[in-house]
Amino acid sequence: MRTYKVAIVGTGGIAAVHADNLARTGGRAELVAACDVDQGRLDSFAEKHGIPGTYLTVAELLAGAQPDIVHLCTPPMLHIDQAIECLEAGVHVLSEKPPALSLADFDRLEKAQAKGGAQFSCVFQHRFGDAAAAARELIGGAGFGRPLVARCDTLWYRPDSYWDLPWRGTWNAEGGGPTMGHGIHQFDLLLHLLGPWEEVTAIAGRQARATSTEDLSAALVRFRNGAVATIVNSLLSPRETSDIRIDCEFATVELSHLYGYATDNWTVTGAPGHEDRVRTEWRSRPLERGSGHSAQFLAMYQALDAGLPLPAGADSARQTLELAAAIYASAFTGRAVRRGEIVPGHPFYGGMDGDGLGTAALDATALNETAFDAARA
């Protein structure tokens, strides 16, 4: 099996997760280079992880290291342009989320992939655990039955100091609040399990944090298969959890974790009279590997070995990004949004703020402490 030459662009906190997980791929990856605009941080990262090549620009990295794959671990506003630069040079890209700040930017990838003959993939590591694969296969099958109702909650907590980094909490740098930057992992997994969504109705608010974006969103989503799901994304929740529950005709599938799951974070419950079959079908699947970056890396290498499209590739990543855009569009216009509706000319095609509609809506409805005290009185 081939060993792929890998480079990391951006050497902040998430880059260390990538480097550590690359070391757990059983020799399938060789970390040959790293890139950062901060020379001191770059040198420290390279020394810690034994990386021979260091570069201050992506162009220098591509020319000097000639990697097979580049991992983008930079702030969100840099992802799309760096991805295009790599793809046009014929280098595969694995980008941290969000893959772009808008559908308009994301749609630039198609031309770049065609020009360089390389592929784009987004880090959606929750798709790649054994239990997720088993659930995806069983939901909708004869044993579990069709999915009927679901919920997907990303209930996290971030204090005010979290937004000390200047690019956080802004539309033009982060693309949004917890919908884009946090809950996207969890509702990507929901889409992976349930398939295409059709329509969304949502609300969003700035309840407590001094940001430009929302700190809370809640959506009601109808899927093509008829299932209905609620999705809540919060950075206001002191007891942090990440949860998915899917109720099918004959089984309930539940996942409760925080930032990554093991098999024992999943629970499957059979409906009365179906317990034995549901239990047997679940236990008949491989249920060893949990979620994580290394699982996605290995799946990527296997696809490249076989000449197949990359998992979590551009098409499926776009579906997830489109749902995020639709949540914002519905929340800030007050009406339902259908899949495929946000196209060139739509205010939310060029950005999740909808040409300022989001900022205006949040400013008008923000509940600050003074207003809360007055309302309580």
Side-chain angles (χ1 to χ4, degrees):
M1 292 184 292
R2 180 180 173 185
T3 296
Y4 290 93
K5 295 195 298 181
V6 176
I8 292 177
V9 176
T11 59
I14 195 62
V17 175
H18 281 245
D20 291 341
N21 278 268
L22 285 166
R24 294 198 288 269
T25 59
R28 296 302 314 274
E30 179 187 2
L31 186 49
V32 297
C35 173
D36 201 294
V37 296
D38 185 316
Q39 184 73 64
R41 183 170 60 193
L42 173 62
D43 291 342
S44 177
F45 182 82
E47 181 180 0
K48 179 178 179 180
H49 296 284
I51 303 170
T54 57
Y55 303 88
L56 294 174
T57 69
V58 174
E60 292 170 345
L61 181 147
L62 294 172
Q66 299 183 336
D68 300 307
I69 306 166
V70 165
H71 291 210
L72 297 180
C73 300
T74 46
M77 68 283 194
L78 301 177
H79 290 170
I80 192 67
D81 287 337
Q82 291 174 336
I84 288 171
E85 184 175 2
C86 295
L87 291 169
E88 289 182 342
V91 177
H92 302 296
V93 171
L94 180 62
S95 173
E96 273 293 337
K97 53 75 183 168
L101 300 191
S102 70
L103 291 170
D105 267 347
F106 188 87
D107 288 344
R108 296 164 56 202
L109 288 175
E110 183 176 2
K111 183 177 180 180
Q113 289 186 119
K115 179 178 180 179
Q119 298 185 65
F120 175 90
S121 181
C122 189
V123 176
F124 286 130
Q125 72 272 22
H126 293 334
R127 298 188 192 186
F128 295 92
D130 286 346
R136 189 174 193 230
E137 181 180 354
L138 292 168
I139 291 170
F144 280 31
R146 62 189 178 93
L148 304 174
V149 61
R151 65 175 177 87
C152 175
D153 298 334
T154 302
L155 305 177
W156 293 1
Y157 184 84
R158 296 293 184 269
D160 289 335
S161 59
Y162 176 78
W163 285 274
D164 288 346
L165 286 174
W167 55 265
R168 282 184 174 158
T170 62
W171 295 106
N172 61 357
E174 199 169 18
T179 312
M180 274 283 275
H182 305 81
I184 193 170
H185 274 305
Q186 200 73 355
F187 64 74
D188 173 80
L189 177 56
L190 184 72
L191 294 178
H192 185 64
L193 297 176
L194 290 183
W197 65 276
E198 285 293 325
E199 186 177 77
V200 60
T201 302
I203 60 174
R206 190 190 302 132
Q207 296 282 80
R209 299 293 179 258
T211 71
S212 300
T213 66
E214 88 287 4
D215 54 20
L216 167 74
S217 69
L220 181 65
V221 183
R222 181 168 55 82
F223 285 78
R224 181 182 295 172
N225 58 22
V228 174
T230 60
I231 298 175
V232 177
N233 307 293
S234 166
L235 295 179
L236 309 172
S237 307
R239 189 178 73 83
E240 296 185 293
T241 61
S242 303
D243 298 293
I244 286 178
R245 172 174 172 152
I246 299 173
D247 293 318
C248 302
E249 292 176 283
F250 313 124
T252 292
V253 180
E254 296 175 274
L255 168 63
S256 184
H257 66 118
L258 186 51
Y259 301 135
Y261 61 79
T263 298
D264 59 8
N265 293 122
W266 293 74
T267 303
V268 174
T269 305
H274 297 269
E275 295 93 341
D276 290 343
R277 180 173 183 180
V278 165
R279 186 184 307 110
T280 298
E281 291 217 14
W282 180 252
R283 291 179 178 175
S284 69
R285 268 63 180 180
L287 294 171
E288 297 178 3
R289 184 177 60 183
S291 67
H293 286 69
S294 62
Q296 181 167 356
F297 298 167
L298 289 169
M300 185 177 190
Y301 306 149
Q302 291 164 3
L304 291 173
D305 290 344
L308 297 173
L310 296 184
D315 289 345
S316 66
R318 192 188 191 282
Q319 177 182 222
T320 300
L321 188 67
E322 186 182 13
L323 178 57
I327 290 173
Y328 286 120
S330 177
F332 299 141
T333 64
R335 62 178 187 82
V337 175
R338 294 187 59 84
R339 185 167 176 241
E341 180 180 328
I342 302 176
V343 296
H346 192 286
F348 287 86
Y349 182 72
M352 302 295 168
D353 187 33
D355 292 333
L357 291 174
T359 297
L362 291 171
D363 287 347
T365 59
L367 181 62
N368 58 37
E369 290 186 20
T370 301
F372 178 77
D373 289 341
R376 184 170 56 182

